[in-house]
Amino acid sequence: MITLAFESSCDDTSLAIIENGQVKLQKTASQNDVHEAFGGVVPELAARAHTKNILPLYLSLLEETNLTLKDINLIVATYSPGLVGSLLVGLEFAKSLAIINNIPFKKVHHIAGHLHAAHLTQNIEYPFLGIAVSGGHTNIFIVKNIDDYELVGYSLDDAAGEAFDKVAKMCSLGYPGGPIIDKIAQKWTGSLINFPKPMQNSKDFNFSFSGLKTAVSLYIKNNPEYDVNQLACSFQETVVDLLLHKIKKAAIHYGLKNIVLSGGVAANSALRRKVTEMFDKEKVYFPQLKYCMDNAAMIGYVGEKLFLKYGADNPYETNPIPTKILKNI
Ligand code: KG4
Ligand code: ZN
């Protein structure tokens, strides 16, 4: 079975060809240069950039895989959650191709994709504790199957990746902030700034990152001569500690041994190292770096599985939904 997958929920235009759960080719156009000057994603510009990128990506994907639409058995696209203008571009492109060429269509929830990104290259048994940490989400799920998800923890305000991006902006480090902070944090081995850890002692599995962001901003104001490597390292350690604390608590509470991290922040080197140290390393799974960020391969993987289980969706009745909590499908 050959699947053509589309992901355009935020600022990456990504297309992939998946064959029976395996990636044949993925092509992604990043928009970092478009949004860098603003220190975050500008929705209107993101939608325009998707419109510019999607057709060349589609044509080169088919050309490089030597495929035509006659070879494609299924078309899948992200429909929720995301920026509505961004979602619209990928979804309408995918739906149009499916309708005109009479190819079955399947819609996929973006977070279901992230939670299964590690499955593209590894065998992971259900149930598992799935942690999706990105620029838009900080969620802890119990993942019981490809179609069965229970949200048990989430951020009450900013997502972890958003906090990385905002702190990087305060320090004029560039965008996206996560990879830059990750890199410069590694240069610091001295003492750390003691930033607050909001909600670390709350009884639930939720997070809050906006107070931490404010604390960093105050520190910069009060210490104009601050060392950027020390600040980056201290901020990153605080975020990683907050994440680790609740991941551990949830894993114990729900008795789950398999731990699967995903989303852009799952690329963070300190988080990867510390999660692996905390749990049985045979049971901790991360996607390959190229499948941590937003990507179409993870969407294709979930779309294929859902199609085999439930059949196609009606493209005429599928519309973008900016916010939708992932539950049972
Ligand atoms: O999953 P993703 O590509 O898009 C969303 O769905 O948001 O994640 C992007 C986010 C950005 O906030 C970026 O700063 C963060 O992931 N990120 C990182 C790292 N690489 C990307 N955060 C911390 N450390 C990294 N190495
Ligand atoms: Zn994402």
Side-chain angles (χ1 to χ4, degrees):
M1 167 167 192
I2 301 185
T3 298
L4 169 60
F6 291 83
E7 156 61 40
S8 70
S9 62
C10 190
D11 63 338
D12 289 306
T13 322
S14 186
L15 277 68
I17 299 281
I18 306 292
E19 187 165 11
N20 301 322
Q22 302 289 318
V23 185
K24 270 180 88 80
L25 185 64
Q26 172 173 281
K27 291 186 94 72
T28 303
S30 144
Q31 303 179 6
N32 288 348
D33 53 341
V34 175
H35 305 290
E36 186 164 15
F38 305 96
V41 178
V42 183
E44 172 73 21
L45 298 182
R48 283 169 193 255
H50 283 306
T51 312
K52 190 171 144 217
N53 293 337
I54 198 162
L55 186 60
L57 277 181
Y58 164 74
L59 293 173
S60 62
L61 187 74
L62 288 190
E63 193 187 330
E64 287 175 38
T65 47
N66 270 325
L67 294 170
T68 71
L69 280 177
K70 290 201 173 57
D71 303 309
I72 305 294
N73 310 111
L74 176 68
I75 292 181
V76 312
T78 306
Y79 77 104
S80 182
L83 302 169
V84 74
S86 291
L87 285 167
L88 262 172
V89 179
L91 188 59
E92 293 306 311
F93 193 99
K95 281 163 56 182
S96 305
L97 279 181
I99 291 168
I100 295 165
N101 298 284
N102 214 8
I103 300 170
F105 170 81
K106 196 81 199 158
K107 65 180 183 188
V108 171
H109 193 287
H110 181 75
I111 303 299
H114 273 308
L115 293 169
H116 284 90
H119 286 68
L120 285 163
T121 49
Q122 296 160 92
N123 267 329
I124 307 169
E125 279 180 18
Y126 298 105
F128 60 83
L129 194 72
I131 301 104
V133 224
S134 69
H137 319 275
T138 308
N139 294 331
I140 303 183
F141 282 91
I142 303 171
V143 184
K144 299 167 193 168
N145 212 324
I146 193 81
D147 55 352
D148 196 352
Y149 305 83
E150 185 183 341
L151 179 64
V152 296
Y154 52 90
S155 174
L156 302 183
D157 40 56
D158 293 354
E162 195 180 350
F164 270 95
D165 294 337
K166 286 182 177 164
V167 166
K169 189 178 178 190
M170 288 175 207
C171 303
S172 310
L173 289 172
Y175 175 83
I180 305 169
I181 290 184
D182 190 355
K183 200 165 163 202
I184 66 170
Q186 291 171 30
K187 296 184 187 159
W188 183 257
T189 51
S191 65
L192 294 177
I193 305 157
N194 192 11
F195 287 127
K197 292 184 182 154
M199 291 188 68
Q200 188 166 43
N201 297 320
S202 68
K203 290 204 164 60
D204 50 30
F205 309 107
N206 295 335
F207 305 94
S208 163
F209 293 104
S210 81
L212 171 59
K213 185 188 64 190
T214 311
V216 173
S217 151
L218 270 174
Y219 182 88
I220 292 174
K221 203 171 152 214
N222 295 334
N223 301 274
E225 305 290 311
Y226 71 93
D227 182 307
V228 73
N229 296 343
Q230 182 190 30
L231 184 130
C233 188
S234 308
F235 163 76
Q236 177 174 282
E237 289 293 309
T238 309
V239 174
V240 169
D241 260 16
L242 284 165
L243 291 170
L244 277 180
H245 192 77
K246 293 289 170 95
I247 294 170
K248 185 177 180 188
K249 198 168 155 179
I252 293 170
H253 183 84
Y254 293 104
L256 293 169
K257 299 262 182 290
N258 286 339
I259 314 291
V260 181
L261 276 96
S262 59
V265 181
N268 186 269
S269 57
L271 180 64
R272 285 184 169 236
R273 191 182 67 252
K274 291 196 170 182
V275 176
T276 313
E277 282 165 9
M278 178 173 270
F279 296 97
D280 174 357
K281 71 171 185 306
E282 304 292 316
K283 297 202 160 126
V284 177
Y285 302 89
F286 295 96
Q288 285 185 359
L289 286 183
K290 62 184 166 192
Y291 304 131
C292 277
M293 319 301 163
D294 287 349
N295 68 88
M298 66 186 192
I299 301 301
Y301 179 92
V302 174
E304 255 188 10
K305 294 268 184 285
L306 290 176
F307 173 71
L308 292 171
K309 204 161 178 178
Y310 294 107
D313 290 323
N314 184 345
Y316 289 102
E317 288 175 3
T318 306
N319 294 303
I321 305 180
T323 35
K324 186 173 197 291
I325 292 176
L326 177 63
K327 283 197 220 144
N328 295 356
I329 294 172

